[in-house]
Amino acid sequence: MAANDNKPKAGEKIPALKCPICRRATEEKFRPFCSQRCADVDLSRWLTGVYAVPAAPDDEADEGEFGAERPADF
Ligand SMILES: [Zn+2]
């Protein structure tokens, strides 16, 4: 067992996260965004319903399968 295995190898850096709004490198101060401006853009998108999550199709499939196998006298 080598004691040096836990040390990060040279050149093995964690890739910088990208701003979900403009795809630029994020700033630690504004994570996960690159700037206050992009954080505001994201917030306004949430507030205006752009990120509204549609109903999951998986639930519908499971419900149908369960209904077909459910005993009549349940
Ligand atoms: Zn940005």
Side-chain angles (χ1 to χ4, degrees):
M1 189 185 293
N4 291 336
D5 278 356
N6 288 336
K7 286 185 179 179
K9 295 170 185 171
E12 197 175 347
K13 293 167 78 174
I14 298 172
L17 293 173
K18 287 182 180 177
C19 172
I21 305 301
C22 69
R23 304 297 174 191
R24 286 180 146 180
T26 59
E27 201 69 46
E28 186 174 354
K29 184 179 175 184
F30 301 108
R31 240 176 239 171
F33 309 103
C34 71
S35 64
Q36 182 62 54
R37 181 178 162 278
C38 283
D40 287 345
V41 170
D42 185 71
L43 179 63
S44 67
R45 285 187 184 183
W46 276 102
L47 294 177
T48 53
V50 172
Y51 289 162
V53 181
D58 284 350
D59 289 345
E60 196 177 325
D62 288 341
E63 200 174 322
E65 193 176 334
F66 178 74
E69 293 180 5
R70 185 164 52 190
D73 61 344
F74 179 65

